[in-house]
Protein backbone atom coordinates (compact mmCIF):
# COMPACT_ATOMS: atom_id res chain seq x y z
CA UNK A 1 0.00 0.00 0.00
CA UNK A 2 3.05 2.21 -0.04
CA UNK A 3 2.91 5.32 -2.23
CA UNK A 4 5.78 7.65 -3.07
CA UNK A 5 5.22 11.22 -1.89
CA UNK A 6 4.97 13.71 -4.70
CA UNK A 7 7.45 16.52 -5.01
CA UNK A 8 6.26 20.11 -4.74
CA UNK A 9 6.41 20.46 -8.54
CA UNK A 10 4.43 17.27 -9.07
CA UNK A 11 1.90 18.43 -6.51
CA UNK A 12 1.47 21.68 -8.42
CA UNK A 13 0.70 19.72 -11.56
CA UNK A 14 -1.74 17.57 -9.61
CA UNK A 15 -3.60 20.58 -8.24
CA UNK A 16 -3.80 22.12 -11.71
CA UNK A 17 -4.76 19.08 -13.78
CA UNK A 18 -6.96 16.81 -11.71
CA UNK A 19 -10.08 15.39 -13.32
CA UNK A 20 -13.44 17.08 -12.94
CA UNK A 21 -15.48 14.71 -10.79
CA UNK A 22 -18.87 16.06 -11.90
CA UNK A 23 -20.92 12.89 -12.00
CA UNK A 24 -23.89 13.02 -9.68
CA UNK A 25 -23.83 16.85 -9.36
CA UNK A 26 -26.55 17.80 -11.83
CA UNK A 27 -29.61 17.78 -9.58
CA UNK A 28 -30.71 17.45 -6.00
CA UNK A 29 -32.14 14.04 -6.87
CA UNK A 30 -28.75 12.79 -8.06
CA UNK A 31 -27.10 14.07 -4.86
CA UNK A 32 -29.35 11.80 -2.82
CA UNK A 33 -28.17 8.85 -4.92
CA UNK A 34 -24.46 9.77 -5.09
CA UNK A 35 -22.29 11.88 -2.80
CA UNK A 36 -21.01 15.10 -4.39
CA UNK A 37 -18.32 17.27 -2.78
CA UNK A 38 -17.25 20.42 -4.64
CA UNK A 39 -13.94 20.93 -2.84
CA UNK A 40 -11.78 20.05 -5.85
CA UNK A 41 -13.84 22.20 -8.22
CA UNK A 42 -13.58 25.13 -5.82
CA UNK A 43 -9.81 24.62 -5.53
CA UNK A 44 -9.40 24.66 -9.30
CA UNK A 45 -11.39 27.91 -9.54
CA UNK A 46 -9.30 29.47 -6.78
CA UNK A 47 -6.07 28.43 -8.51
CA UNK A 48 -7.19 30.14 -11.70
CA UNK A 49 -8.20 33.30 -9.82
CA UNK A 50 -5.05 33.49 -7.69
CA UNK A 51 -1.78 32.23 -9.22
CA UNK A 52 0.01 32.66 -5.88
CA UNK A 53 -2.24 30.03 -4.26
CA UNK A 54 -0.40 27.22 -6.05
CA UNK A 55 2.87 28.53 -4.65
CA UNK A 56 1.51 28.60 -1.10
CA UNK A 57 0.04 25.12 -1.42
CA UNK A 58 3.28 23.73 -2.79
CA UNK A 59 5.11 25.27 0.17
CA UNK A 60 2.63 23.53 2.48
CA UNK A 61 3.24 20.23 0.65
CA UNK A 62 7.00 20.66 0.94
CA UNK A 63 6.66 21.41 4.67
CA UNK A 64 4.38 18.40 5.18
CA UNK A 65 6.73 16.07 3.30
CA UNK A 66 9.66 17.38 5.32
CA UNK A 67 7.88 16.62 8.58
CA UNK A 68 7.12 13.07 7.44
CA UNK A 69 10.59 12.42 6.05
CA UNK A 70 12.09 13.51 9.37
CA UNK A 71 10.08 10.77 11.02
CA UNK A 72 7.27 12.98 12.25
CA UNK A 73 5.22 10.93 14.70
CA UNK A 74 1.98 12.90 14.65
CA UNK A 75 2.53 14.86 17.86
CA UNK A 76 0.32 17.96 17.92
CA UNK A 77 1.27 21.38 19.20
CA UNK A 78 0.72 21.62 22.97
CA UNK A 79 -0.58 18.08 23.01
CA UNK A 80 -4.19 17.70 21.91
CA UNK A 81 -5.67 20.36 19.65
CA UNK A 82 -9.07 21.77 20.63
CA UNK A 83 -10.72 23.66 17.79
CA UNK A 84 -13.44 26.27 18.47
CA UNK A 85 -16.18 26.12 15.85
CA UNK A 86 -18.35 29.00 14.63
CA UNK A 87 -21.49 27.93 12.77
CA UNK A 88 -22.98 30.44 10.34
CA UNK A 89 -26.59 29.60 9.47
CA UNK A 90 -28.06 31.23 6.37
CA UNK A 91 -31.74 30.42 5.99
CA UNK A 92 -34.77 31.29 3.90
CA UNK A 93 -37.09 28.57 5.17
CA UNK A 94 -37.75 27.13 8.60
CA UNK A 95 -36.09 23.85 7.66
CA UNK A 96 -32.93 25.70 6.62
CA UNK A 97 -32.79 27.43 10.02
CA UNK A 98 -31.38 24.32 11.65
CA UNK A 99 -31.70 23.92 15.41
CA UNK A 100 -28.98 24.24 18.00
CA UNK A 101 -29.53 20.54 18.67
CA UNK A 102 -28.78 19.61 15.06
CA UNK A 103 -25.72 21.86 15.11
CA UNK A 104 -24.42 20.26 18.30
CA UNK A 105 -24.99 16.83 16.77
CA UNK A 106 -22.48 17.71 14.04
CA UNK A 107 -19.91 18.77 16.63
CA UNK A 108 -20.53 15.48 18.44
CA UNK A 109 -20.00 13.49 15.23
CA UNK A 110 -16.73 15.31 14.54
CA UNK A 111 -15.51 14.55 18.05
CA UNK A 112 -16.35 10.88 17.69
CA UNK A 113 -14.90 10.46 14.20
CA UNK A 114 -11.67 12.36 14.87
CA UNK A 115 -11.10 10.53 18.16
CA UNK A 116 -11.94 6.98 17.05
CA UNK A 117 -15.01 6.99 19.29
CA UNK A 118 -17.50 6.29 16.50
CA UNK A 119 -19.48 3.12 17.11
CA UNK A 120 -18.43 1.64 13.74
CA UNK A 121 -14.68 2.18 14.26
CA UNK A 122 -14.24 -1.49 15.17
CA UNK A 123 -15.83 -2.48 11.87
CA UNK A 124 -12.57 -1.68 10.06
CA UNK A 125 -11.47 -4.90 8.28
CA UNK A 126 -8.44 -6.77 9.58
CA UNK A 127 -6.49 -5.81 6.46
CA UNK A 128 -6.58 -2.14 7.52
CA UNK A 129 -6.74 -2.53 11.30
CA UNK A 130 -3.02 -1.87 11.61
CA UNK A 131 -3.31 1.60 10.09
CA UNK A 132 -6.65 2.83 11.46
CA UNK A 133 -6.05 5.95 13.52
CA UNK A 134 -7.27 8.15 16.33
CA UNK A 135 -6.51 11.62 14.95
CA UNK A 136 -6.86 13.11 18.44
CA UNK A 137 -8.47 16.48 17.66
CA UNK A 138 -11.49 17.81 19.53
CA UNK A 139 -14.08 20.39 18.52
CA UNK A 140 -16.01 22.81 20.73
CA UNK A 141 -19.02 24.82 19.58
CA UNK A 142 -18.00 28.45 20.09
CA UNK A 143 -20.83 30.45 18.51
CA UNK A 144 -23.93 30.19 16.30
CA UNK A 145 -24.65 33.14 14.00
CA UNK A 146 -27.93 33.23 12.08
CA UNK A 147 -29.02 35.37 9.14
CA UNK A 148 -32.25 35.38 7.19
CA UNK A 149 -31.88 35.53 3.41
CA UNK A 150 -34.00 35.50 0.27
CA UNK A 151 -31.56 33.27 -1.64
CA UNK A 152 -32.84 29.85 -2.68
CA UNK A 153 -29.31 28.51 -3.23
CA UNK A 154 -25.76 29.80 -2.83
CA UNK A 155 -23.64 27.82 -5.27
CA UNK A 156 -19.93 27.17 -4.75
CA UNK A 157 -18.37 30.60 -5.42
CA UNK A 158 -18.10 31.43 -1.68
CA UNK A 159 -20.95 33.98 -1.79
CA UNK A 160 -22.21 32.68 1.57
CA UNK A 161 -18.93 33.88 3.13
CA UNK A 162 -19.24 37.47 1.86
CA UNK A 163 -21.35 40.11 3.58
CA UNK A 164 -21.60 42.15 0.38
CA UNK A 165 -23.27 39.18 -1.30
CA UNK A 166 -25.73 38.57 1.52
CA UNK A 167 -23.66 36.03 3.41
CA UNK A 168 -21.75 35.98 6.68
CA UNK A 169 -18.03 36.69 6.83
CA UNK A 170 -15.96 34.19 8.81
CA UNK A 171 -15.26 34.92 12.47
CA UNK A 172 -11.55 34.81 13.48
CA UNK A 173 -10.72 32.24 10.73
CA UNK A 174 -7.07 31.88 11.75
CA UNK A 175 -8.04 30.56 15.18
CA UNK A 176 -11.60 29.25 14.68
CA UNK A 177 -13.10 26.76 12.24
CA UNK A 178 -16.04 28.39 10.49
CA UNK A 179 -18.86 26.21 9.20
CA UNK A 180 -21.60 27.58 6.96
CA UNK A 181 -24.97 25.87 6.81
CA UNK A 182 -26.84 26.92 3.69
CA UNK A 183 -28.54 25.41 0.67
CA UNK A 184 -25.77 25.02 -1.89
CA UNK A 185 -27.73 23.66 -4.85
CA UNK A 186 -26.55 21.67 -7.84
CA UNK A 187 -26.61 18.42 -5.89
CA UNK A 188 -23.62 19.46 -3.77
CA UNK A 189 -23.57 18.18 -0.17
CA UNK A 190 -20.65 20.35 0.93
CA UNK A 191 -17.21 21.72 0.19
CA UNK A 192 -14.14 22.98 2.05
CA UNK A 193 -11.14 25.21 1.55
CA UNK A 194 -7.70 23.63 1.79
CA UNK A 195 -4.94 25.21 3.90
CA UNK A 196 -3.24 28.00 1.98
CA UNK A 197 -6.39 29.72 0.76
CA UNK A 198 -7.50 33.21 1.71
CA UNK A 199 -8.57 33.65 5.34
CA UNK A 200 -11.61 35.63 4.15
CA UNK A 201 -13.09 32.44 2.66
CA UNK A 202 -11.58 29.83 4.98
CA UNK A 203 -13.84 27.12 6.34
CA UNK A 204 -16.39 24.48 5.41
CA UNK A 205 -19.82 24.74 3.78
CA UNK A 206 -22.47 22.05 4.39
CA UNK A 207 -26.00 21.89 3.06
CA UNK A 208 -28.46 21.91 6.01
CA UNK A 209 -30.01 18.63 4.85
CA UNK A 210 -26.68 16.91 5.52
CA UNK A 211 -25.52 18.88 8.55
CA UNK A 212 -25.12 16.63 11.59
CA UNK A 213 -27.79 14.08 12.45
CA UNK A 214 -30.30 15.51 10.03
CA UNK A 215 -32.98 12.83 10.16
CA UNK A 216 -33.93 9.72 8.21
CA UNK A 217 -35.50 11.78 5.41
CA UNK A 218 -31.99 12.78 4.36
CA UNK A 219 -30.49 9.28 4.36
CA UNK A 220 -28.01 8.03 3.29
CA UNK A 221 -26.22 11.27 4.24
CA UNK A 222 -27.85 11.91 7.60
CA UNK A 223 -25.11 10.78 10.02
CA UNK A 224 -22.86 13.85 9.92
CA UNK A 225 -20.13 12.28 7.79
CA UNK A 226 -20.38 15.06 5.18
CA UNK A 227 -18.99 17.27 7.95
CA UNK A 228 -16.24 14.75 8.75
CA UNK A 229 -15.28 14.47 5.07
CA UNK A 230 -15.19 18.24 4.52
CA UNK A 231 -13.30 19.00 7.73
CA UNK A 232 -10.82 16.37 6.52
CA UNK A 233 -10.27 18.54 3.44
CA UNK A 234 -9.91 21.64 5.64
CA UNK A 235 -7.15 19.71 7.42
CA UNK A 236 -5.37 19.08 4.09
CA UNK A 237 -6.66 15.60 3.22
CA UNK A 238 -7.36 14.80 -0.42
CA UNK A 239 -10.01 12.53 -1.83
CA UNK A 240 -8.68 9.01 -1.44
CA UNK A 241 -8.64 8.40 -5.23
CA UNK A 242 -6.61 11.58 -5.79
CA UNK A 243 -9.28 13.05 -8.11
CA UNK A 244 -7.78 11.03 -10.96
CA UNK A 245 -7.93 7.43 -12.13
CA UNK A 246 -5.49 5.57 -9.85
CA UNK A 247 -4.40 8.97 -8.52
CA UNK A 248 -2.52 9.80 -5.33
CA UNK A 249 -3.98 11.31 -2.16
CA UNK A 250 -0.42 12.09 -0.97
CA UNK A 251 -0.75 9.57 1.88
CA UNK A 252 1.54 6.56 2.12
CA UNK A 253 -0.72 4.00 3.81
CA UNK A 254 -3.98 4.36 1.86
CA UNK A 255 -4.43 2.05 -1.14
CA UNK A 256 -4.59 3.54 -4.62
CA UNK A 257 -8.21 3.68 -5.77
CA UNK A 258 -9.50 3.46 -9.32
CA UNK A 259 -11.92 6.30 -8.65
CA UNK A 260 -14.57 7.38 -6.14
CA UNK A 261 -16.76 4.70 -4.55
CA UNK A 262 -20.45 5.27 -3.87
CA UNK A 263 -23.16 3.67 -1.78
CA UNK A 264 -22.13 0.80 0.50
CA UNK A 265 -19.51 -1.25 -1.37
CA UNK A 266 -19.23 -4.93 -0.49
CA UNK A 267 -15.90 -5.81 1.13
CA UNK A 268 -13.43 -6.57 -0.31
CA UNK A 269 -13.75 -4.07 -3.15
CA UNK A 270 -10.92 -4.66 -5.61
CA UNK A 271 -8.92 -2.06 -7.47
CA UNK A 272 -7.22 -2.61 -10.81
CA UNK A 273 -4.54 -0.05 -9.92
CA UNK A 274 -1.03 -1.44 -9.73
CA UNK A 275 0.01 -3.03 -6.43
CA UNK A 276 -3.09 -2.26 -4.33
CA UNK A 277 -5.88 -4.75 -5.02
CA UNK A 278 -8.24 -3.95 -2.10
CA UNK A 279 -9.58 -0.40 -1.73
CA UNK A 280 -10.12 1.33 1.63
CA UNK A 281 -13.74 2.17 0.82
CA UNK A 282 -14.57 2.79 4.49
CA UNK A 283 -12.21 5.79 4.63
CA UNK A 284 -13.85 9.14 5.36
CA UNK A 285 -12.26 10.64 2.24
CA UNK A 286 -14.07 8.36 -0.20
CA UNK A 287 -17.59 9.11 -1.53
CA UNK A 288 -19.48 6.26 0.13
CA UNK A 289 -22.70 6.63 2.15
CA UNK A 290 -22.45 7.97 5.70
CA UNK A 291 -22.89 4.51 7.23
CA UNK A 292 -20.13 3.07 5.03
CA UNK A 293 -17.28 5.44 6.03
CA UNK A 294 -15.72 5.11 9.48
CA UNK A 295 -11.92 5.49 9.54
CA UNK A 296 -8.89 7.69 8.98
CA UNK A 297 -5.48 6.11 8.46
CA UNK A 298 -2.27 6.75 10.39
CA UNK A 299 -0.82 8.45 7.32
CA UNK A 300 -3.81 10.76 7.16
CA UNK A 301 -3.42 11.50 10.86
CA UNK A 302 0.21 12.47 10.37
CA UNK A 303 -0.64 14.61 7.36
CA UNK A 304 -3.28 16.40 9.45
CA UNK A 305 -0.91 16.80 12.38
CA UNK A 306 1.70 18.51 10.20
CA UNK A 307 -0.52 21.53 9.56
CA UNK A 308 -0.76 22.28 13.30
CA UNK A 309 2.95 22.17 14.23
CA UNK A 310 5.07 25.31 14.38
CA UNK A 311 5.51 26.52 10.80
CA UNK A 312 2.38 24.72 9.61
CA UNK A 313 -0.49 26.58 7.94
CA UNK A 314 -2.85 26.11 10.91
CA UNK A 315 -0.27 26.40 13.69
CA UNK A 316 -2.29 29.21 15.32
CA UNK A 317 -4.85 26.62 16.40
CA UNK A 318 -2.22 24.97 18.57
CA UNK A 319 -1.25 28.09 20.51
Amino acid sequence: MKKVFLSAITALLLFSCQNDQSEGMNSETSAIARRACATQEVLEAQLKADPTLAIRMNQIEAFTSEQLIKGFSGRLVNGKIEIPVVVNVLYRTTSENISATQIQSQIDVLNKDFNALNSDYNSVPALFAGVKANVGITFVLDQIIRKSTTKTSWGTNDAMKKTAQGGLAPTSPTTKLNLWSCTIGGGILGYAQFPGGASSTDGVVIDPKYFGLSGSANAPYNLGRTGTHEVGHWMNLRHIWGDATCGSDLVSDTPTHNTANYGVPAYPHYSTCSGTPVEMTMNYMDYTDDNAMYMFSTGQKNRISAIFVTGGPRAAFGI
Side-chain angles (χ1 to χ4, degrees):
M1 298 196 299
K2 186 75 172 176
K3 295 197 200 85
V4 177
F5 270 89
L6 303 185
S7 67
I9 293 175
T10 307
L12 173 57
L13 294 173
L14 176 67
F15 298 152
S16 302
C17 303
Q18 286 168 326
N19 294 341
D20 177 15
Q21 299 290 330
S22 58
E23 187 175 6
M25 296 184 183
N26 296 325
S27 69
E28 207 62 32
T29 301
S30 63
I32 294 172
R34 309 191 87 177
R35 183 180 297 277
C37 156
T39 297
Q40 184 60 31
E41 289 182 341
V42 170
L43 172 60
E44 289 168 357
Q46 290 176 336
L47 286 166
K48 290 178 182 177
D50 178 10
T52 66
L53 175 58
I55 297 172
R56 295 195 299 274
M57 293 186 74
N58 280 313
Q59 290 171 338
I60 290 170
E61 283 306 313
F63 177 84
T64 299
S65 295
E66 181 183 0
Q67 298 301 310
L68 296 168
I69 290 169
K70 290 192 312 189
F72 176 66
S73 63
R75 181 179 58 82
L76 302 181
V77 178
N78 294 338
K80 196 169 189 178
I81 296 296
E82 183 175 275
I83 297 180
V85 181
V86 177
V87 178
N88 304 285
V89 181
L90 293 160
Y91 66 95
R92 184 180 64 88
T93 66
T94 301
S95 61
E96 291 175 333
N97 191 19
I98 58 176
S99 68
T101 299
Q102 185 175 337
I103 290 170
Q104 184 60 54
S105 75
Q106 180 65 78
I107 304 300
D108 294 342
V109 169
L110 292 175
N111 279 320
K112 289 178 180 178
D113 290 351
F114 280 84
N115 289 277
L117 296 173
N118 48 303
S119 60
D120 42 8
Y121 182 70
N122 289 327
S123 299
V124 174
L127 179 63
F128 302 128
V131 298
K132 66 179 183 179
N134 174 357
V135 176
I137 295 178
T138 61
F139 303 82
V140 177
L141 181 60
D142 181 79
Q143 187 179 8
I144 300 173
I145 303 172
R146 300 179 185 273
K147 184 176 182 179
S148 177
T149 177
T150 58
K151 281 184 176 283
T152 56
S153 63
W154 289 86
T156 57
N157 66 350
D158 287 336
M160 71 288 293
K161 307 172 184 178
K162 301 172 182 177
T163 305
Q165 297 185 36
L168 287 165
T171 300
S172 305
T174 58
T175 56
K176 297 180 181 181
L177 166 59
N178 277 255
L179 305 182
W180 283 265
S181 171
C182 62
T183 297
I184 302 170
I188 304 298
L189 278 66
Y191 73 92
Q193 180 170 293
F194 288 111
S199 61
S200 61
T201 53
D202 198 25
V204 168
V205 183
I206 306 171
D207 191 286
K209 292 185 295 298
Y210 315 113
F211 197 106
L213 304 181
S214 59
S216 59
N218 301 311
Y221 309 117
N222 60 336
L223 301 179
R225 262 61 190 272
T226 295
T228 302
H229 178 100
E230 301 304 342
V231 171
H233 283 315
W234 182 81
M235 292 182 178
N236 209 28
L237 296 186
R238 304 281 157 175
H239 287 137
I240 198 167
W241 67 98
D243 290 279
T245 302
C246 298
S248 174
D249 62 352
L250 310 179
V251 175
S252 61
D253 63 3
T254 56
T256 304
H257 283 218
N258 283 99
T259 187
N261 290 298
Y262 297 92
V264 183
Y267 180 83
H269 182 79
Y270 290 96
S271 168
T272 61
C273 302
S274 176
T276 54
V278 180
E279 297 187 343
M280 192 184 283
T281 61
M282 66 294 305
N283 192 281
Y284 290 121
M285 303 315 295
D286 206 337
Y287 262 7
T288 54
D289 292 352
D290 276 19
N291 66 346
M293 52 171 63
Y294 39 85
M295 71 168 287
F296 290 114
S297 74
T298 299
Q300 288 173 320
K301 172 184 177 176
N302 290 343
R303 182 172 171 83
I304 287 171
S305 298
I307 69 172
F308 292 104
V309 301
T310 301
R314 301 205 187 280
F317 283 85
I319 296 174

